[in-house]
Amino acid sequence: MNSVSVHDVRHALNELGKLRFGEMRVEDAMHHIVQTTHTIFSVDGAGLMLADVDHHLLNAAVSDDRMKHLEELQIRHQEGPCISAFEDKELIRAEDLTAEQRWPDFSQHAVARGVRAVLASPIPYNQDAVGVVAVMSEDRRPWSAEAELALLAFTDLAALLIATMMMGEQQTELAAQLQSALNSRAIIEQAKGVLIGQQGISAHAAYTQLRAQARAERRKIATVSAELVRSSVRADLPPVPPAGADAGPCRRRDNPAPAKPDYHDSYCDPRR
């Protein structure tokens, strides 16, 4: 990979920093970010993906058709570097998909489509993630520390753009989509926590289980997650005593609560 010049990255960020939400559509601004990322990294493709309510990553801006293929393959196989970056909320690097073991189905088909290496960074928003910025190469690429830092810089710019849009007075369709995705992700995270506590499994295994159930039942993963959380809450509630049963050691039938308790009255007064 060509070395990423700090000067070029700084110049690109300064130019992109002139973008103002309101002066152009946010979708157009995202395309500017992607095209500049593509140029600076000298890669074969770059893209910006955003989450939908079903917890899927969809292409919001791409440099070419190869990035569209990348998204299609990951959604189809429900695995890949962009999905991992989004779910784990951390930078994911894949230097050679021909030797990659983390996403066997995706890697095999990606290589067949001409994708060999991927670097993906999650787009943060309020300690969560709403999407991913990624670059890809046809050839094996040992991603350098400079390349990783540069991608993080472009990711932060995308995050700033999205945050500005989300906090804007005018609620756009894209902002509503991302807010729904954040709401969905919140309940999914709770459901993952329930499974981790019940079964002692990893967060990734918990999500895989939720996703498999949702696909088998042809329902949304957020719906399945909400049901699991509700059932867990009901299971944790103490049983309701039947009518007339003893309510506890301090309230007996022969010692009902006084009609007008004063400061000195207590159901558990040892003097009684």
Side-chain angles (χ1 to χ4, degrees):
M1 173 180 179
N2 295 336
S3 177
V4 179
S5 167
V6 175
H7 176 269
D8 289 343
V9 171
R10 184 180 295 112
H11 176 72
L13 290 176
N14 286 338
E15 290 300 311
L16 289 172
K18 297 177 182 178
L19 299 175
R20 293 291 184 270
F21 180 69
E23 296 180 4
M24 69 166 60
R25 295 170 61 249
V26 66
E27 291 83 358
D28 294 335
M30 290 180 182
H31 279 285
H32 276 282
I33 292 174
V34 166
Q35 292 299 335
T36 305
T37 304
H38 187 204
T39 301
I40 292 297
F41 279 78
S42 298
V43 288
D44 298 308
L48 192 156
M49 304 176 187
L50 296 177
D52 68 2
V53 69
D54 292 323
H55 212 58
H56 291 160
L57 288 175
L58 303 177
N59 280 326
V62 294
S63 60
D64 53 37
D65 288 339
R66 299 183 208 217
M67 290 306 294
K68 290 183 180 179
H69 293 324
L70 191 68
E71 176 256 316
E72 291 169 359
L73 288 171
Q74 292 183 94
I75 293 300
R76 182 187 308 164
H77 299 288
Q78 288 297 298
E79 63 178 25
C82 295
I83 290 179
S84 293
F86 175 64
E87 291 179 358
D88 299 337
K89 291 180 280 190
E90 64 181 20
L91 186 75
I92 296 293
R93 63 189 66 78
E95 297 183 356
D96 187 356
L97 292 176
T98 62
E100 186 58 65
Q101 301 297 320
R102 288 173 289 182
W103 321 287
D105 292 334
F106 162 78
S107 297
Q108 177 184 353
H109 290 85
V111 171
R113 292 284 188 95
V115 179
R116 183 78 178 271
V118 181
L119 185 63
S121 174
I123 301 174
Y125 184 80
N126 282 354
Q127 298 182 339
D128 212 322
V130 292
V132 173
V133 175
V135 292
M136 54 82 72
S137 171
E138 291 180 344
D139 304 313
R140 179 182 180 277
R141 294 287 177 105
W143 304 107
S144 65
E146 291 80 8
E148 293 178 2
L149 289 174
L151 187 62
L152 288 173
F154 282 93
T155 303
D156 287 343
L157 183 60
L160 178 61
L161 178 69
I162 290 172
T164 303
M165 174 191 66
M166 296 285 283
M167 293 185 294
E169 295 182 0
Q170 183 178 2
Q171 186 75 350
T172 65
E173 182 178 347
L174 181 58
Q177 171 195 319
L178 293 179
Q179 188 58 59
S180 296
L182 288 169
N183 296 341
S184 170
R185 185 172 178 111
I187 193 65
I188 292 171
E189 291 298 321
Q190 291 181 44
K192 285 166 59 178
V194 170
L195 292 178
I196 292 171
Q198 290 178 345
Q199 303 178 21
I201 57 179
S202 67
H204 180 72
Y207 178 72
T208 300
Q209 184 172 323
L210 290 170
R211 184 181 62 197
Q213 180 180 347
R215 294 180 69 181
E217 298 174 0
R218 296 184 178 180
R219 297 194 296 162
K220 295 183 181 299
I221 188 172
T223 303
V224 171
S225 298
E227 288 185 357
L228 176 62
V229 172
R230 284 195 298 269
S231 65
S232 174
V233 170
R234 287 196 297 269
D236 290 338
L237 291 175
V240 178
D246 190 351
C250 298
R251 181 175 297 193
R252 301 182 301 272
R253 295 180 187 178
D254 60 350
N255 184 26
K260 295 181 180 180
D262 59 27
Y263 178 80
H264 298 289
D265 285 320
S266 171
Y267 299 149
C268 295
D269 191 333
R271 293 172 297 179
R272 300 190 178 191

